[in-house]
Amino acid sequence: MKSKLVLLIIFLFCSIISAQGNRDMNNPFFKNWDTPFGTPPFNEIKLEHYLPAFNEGIKELLGEIAAVAENNNTPTFSNTIEALEKSGQLLTNVRRVFDNLNSVITNDEMQKIALQAAPLLSKINDDIYLNPKLFSRIKSLNQKKDELNLNPEQKKLLGDLYKSFVLGGANLSDSEKDKLRNINEELSILFVKFSDNILKETNSVGLVIDNKDDLKGLPESVIQGAAETANNKGLTGKWAFTLQRASWTPFLQYSDKRELREKLYKAYINRGNNNNENDTKSLINKIVNLRIQKANLLGFKDFSSLALDRAMAKNSKNVTSFLNQLWTPAIKRATAEVTDMQKIIDNENGGFKLMPWDWWYYSEKVKKEKYDLDETMLRPYFKLENVVEGVFTLTSKLFGLKYVERNDIQIYHPDVKVYEVQEANGKHIGILYTDYFPRETKSSGAWMSEFRSQSNMDGKFISPVIYNCGNFSKPTTDKPALLSIDEVKTLFHEFGHGLHGLLSNVTYPGVSGTNVARDFVELPSQIMENWATEPEMLKLYAKHYQTGEVIPQDLIDKLNNAGLFNQGFETVEYLAASLLDMDWHTLTSQNEFNVENFEKESLSKMGIIKEINSRYQSTNFLHIFSSDGYASGYYSYIWAAVLDADAFEAFKETSLFDQKNAYAYRKYILEKGGSEEPMELYKKFRGREPKIDALLNRRGLN
């Protein structure tokens, strides 16, 4: 037995030495990163480094997996589960750098690499989950986990890993495994194509104006920004509005030109649906049908059942029941909002009925009429740098965190800033990159990701390297970046995800940070939004960009009085997208779907009102068609909203920066990652299960 193990070790050692001998040591992925805190050496990484690093990473991981699977010793947690947790470091490094940079500084060459890498990564994933010897070892451990003297984190990791193998096809026959491999490979390529098509559509110019009269109603800052966009696109002397939210939303809010609002709005919602080379309808058909095949192959009636197997919600019936519970009061409130806007249209002798492209414009008028508030009054107090300082101040008050800007750490784009995050006593916690402005090489939306996750195996603490991305309003030649209140909330939201990664304090990377149930992961992000508009918090960071004056109390009062404003609209458009997602993924039979008709029938079945569209249309629904990440899971945001509203009540019942609650929240939610069941962690923090009342109150839906 021992001699076989020695021979295996010698074989693997020789293989590694041989592999290293073939490596180009000018490739930074094949070196130890001698950078501050082991951060990626972006200045050294070139396009030609990725594919060799992917190939070597896959080869290395296969060797490590073989060593575990072929081990003749009795399976133990150490020689099987921990060994798997330690495997694949090279592949993890290159994959995280490439995937993240492909989202923020992509180009044609990177997109080609992504298409080449996708099937390779799909194959290695299947090679692991479909390895019978490896699964046998994990299965035997799972069967006797109560006898192994494991701590709660180890039990959770083992259970999660076992379920991942089962859902990954480990119990299938050889012929079924081959089918699954083909499905996964094809899906991986389709996801890349969908993302690339929507990026191209979003970067296109939605509206070009060459007549100054057509700018009527727009604030000067919006006009200036559009002029700069036009200049950057070679449209000198004109004004251009793209389909990035930071560009089209202000136009819809303020433009007096209804026909132009309609044109820009339709350009936005028709992304991926223009019957051109970027059209996504055929991709959606392939993805949906492949997902049905995959679910059926794995013993599920539909993809939703497969996707929700590890979620808090458990099944599609629970999800749709929950969403429908909110739908009726949301529609009722939205209908009342329509009435308010239609009154203004009629009073102005508009002569038309409110339509979706009118909503932003007339809701601004209602806000001004009812609350004497419009966004142009707020933006001057939300300079980007002040908002960032606001989240720093908040997390300092709650958790004692400090942020030290580091100019000695390499960045991938001039827009990026880097901070070392420390405890109050100066102890290093992790690294945070922020990247907040839109550009044509960057995906739309806002998100958090990581270049390195936290772990602490064998007593070696690995600190996290996290990044936050947004597409917020850019500075102009004479004004800094001034954010809308929605952008402020989004920045706080993504910072909450960042904290989940930064403050993780577990042993194993498999349960670190945001590696939690999908419908739990939005709790740390969404709870942060609550602080953003609290009066006590606003006075700490909302300062006029020119005078430094703290936001006046009367403006805070107006903002808070308008707290329930537009909640019907926001809830309905979100619920519509969530239910559309569920409709796509509860299909049980393959078909050639007419995507537009399917969507119309879905929305009609819900009883959506004609003045509101789904937040996303199928053809541009990145959450559900660019990966499996949120497929049958877009509901997660409002599921987690129940948790975050209830959790924030703990602070409202005591004080905004209550140290006892902050300590419990950090200890049981932020630090624990996925090391225990989410509801158990929530109950440890809150002392009970969440109640829906706080969410209904917050949205005015009760």
Side-chain angles (χ1 to χ4, degrees), residues 271-283:
R271 289 173 302 148
N273 189 25
N274 293 304
N275 298 316
N276 58 14
E277 66 276 11
N278 297 324
D279 198 274
T280 61
K281 292 190 289 292
S282 66
L283 298 177

Side-chain angles (χ1 to χ4, degrees), residues 459-517:
K460 184 182 178 183
F461 189 86
I462 304 296
S463 62
V465 179
I466 305 298
Y467 86 119
N468 270 180
C469 275
N471 281 278
F472 304 139
S473 301
K474 295 173 68 173
T476 60
T477 51
D478 65 349
K479 282 190 178 71
L482 301 176
L483 306 192
S484 70
I485 190 64
D486 286 341
E487 289 174 328
V488 171
K489 291 177 180 178
T490 299
L491 191 149
F492 272 71
H493 176 106
E494 296 306 333
F495 208 89
H497 281 310
L499 288 177
H500 206 180
L502 284 164
L503 298 182
S504 175
N505 188 17
V506 298
T507 302
Y508 303 103
V511 291
S512 173
T514 57
N515 286 322
V516 301

Side-chain angles (χ1 to χ4, degrees), residues 103-304:
S103 296
V104 291
I105 51 168
T106 194
N107 53 41
D108 290 343
E109 188 61 35
M110 288 193 82
Q111 289 166 13
K112 289 177 186 175
I113 294 170
L115 282 172
Q116 290 176 273
L120 298 176
L121 296 171
S122 174
K123 183 179 183 303
I124 186 67
N125 202 54
D126 287 336
D127 285 344
I128 295 170
Y129 286 128
L130 302 179
N131 184 315
K133 291 183 179 179
L134 184 59
F135 178 58
S136 176
R137 295 178 69 84
I138 294 169
K139 185 177 180 179
S140 68
L141 288 171
N142 191 64
Q143 287 173 337
K144 57 182 181 181
K145 62 184 175 185
D146 293 333
E147 306 164 21
L148 298 177
N149 196 30
L150 303 178
N151 64 36
E153 181 179 338
Q154 291 172 326
K155 271 191 178 182
K156 180 69 163 46
L157 177 63
L158 173 57
D160 287 352
L161 199 56
Y162 173 74
K163 179 152 276 193
S164 293
F165 271 75
V166 172
L167 297 180
N171 283 323
L172 298 178
S173 67
D174 288 345
S175 62
E176 289 171 330
K177 286 179 179 179
D178 289 339
K179 288 180 184 176
L180 183 62
R181 284 178 181 275
N182 291 333
I183 290 170
N184 286 338
E185 179 178 338
E186 192 172 351
L187 280 171
S188 71
I189 294 169
L190 292 169
F191 293 155
V192 173
K193 289 180 177 177
F194 190 95
S195 297
D196 290 348
N197 286 8
I198 296 307
L199 177 62
K200 289 169 186 171
E201 292 276 285
T202 302
N203 282 335
S204 63
V205 176
L207 180 67
V208 178
I209 290 176
D210 52 18
N211 182 348
K212 197 168 185 178
D213 289 343
D214 287 338
L215 300 171
K216 188 178 178 185
L218 298 177
E220 186 56 40
S221 60
V222 174
I223 294 171
Q224 186 175 347
E228 292 178 11
T229 298
N231 282 334
N232 292 338
K233 293 183 177 293
L235 301 168
T236 307
K238 299 181 181 181
W239 298 267
F241 296 88
T242 71
L243 304 182
Q244 292 277 1
R245 271 193 171 269
S247 180
W248 72 264
T249 302
F251 188 90
L252 263 64
Q253 283 177 305
Y254 299 113
S255 172
D256 291 339
K257 298 291 183 176
R258 186 173 189 245
E259 69 281 4
L260 296 181
R261 295 200 307 269
E262 179 180 0
K263 182 178 179 180
L264 185 58
Y265 175 80
K266 287 183 174 178
Y268 177 78
I269 67 167
N270 284 327
R271 289 173 302 148
N273 189 25
N274 293 304
N275 298 316
N276 58 14
E277 66 276 11
N278 297 324
D279 198 274
T280 61
K281 292 190 289 292
S282 66
L283 298 177
I284 290 170
N285 260 287
K286 291 174 184 175
I287 290 169
V288 169
N289 283 311
L290 284 168
R291 281 174 170 165
I292 294 171
Q293 288 181 44
K294 181 174 180 176
N296 293 165
L297 196 58
L298 292 168
F300 295 93
K301 64 177 182 177
D302 54 38
F303 187 79
S304 185

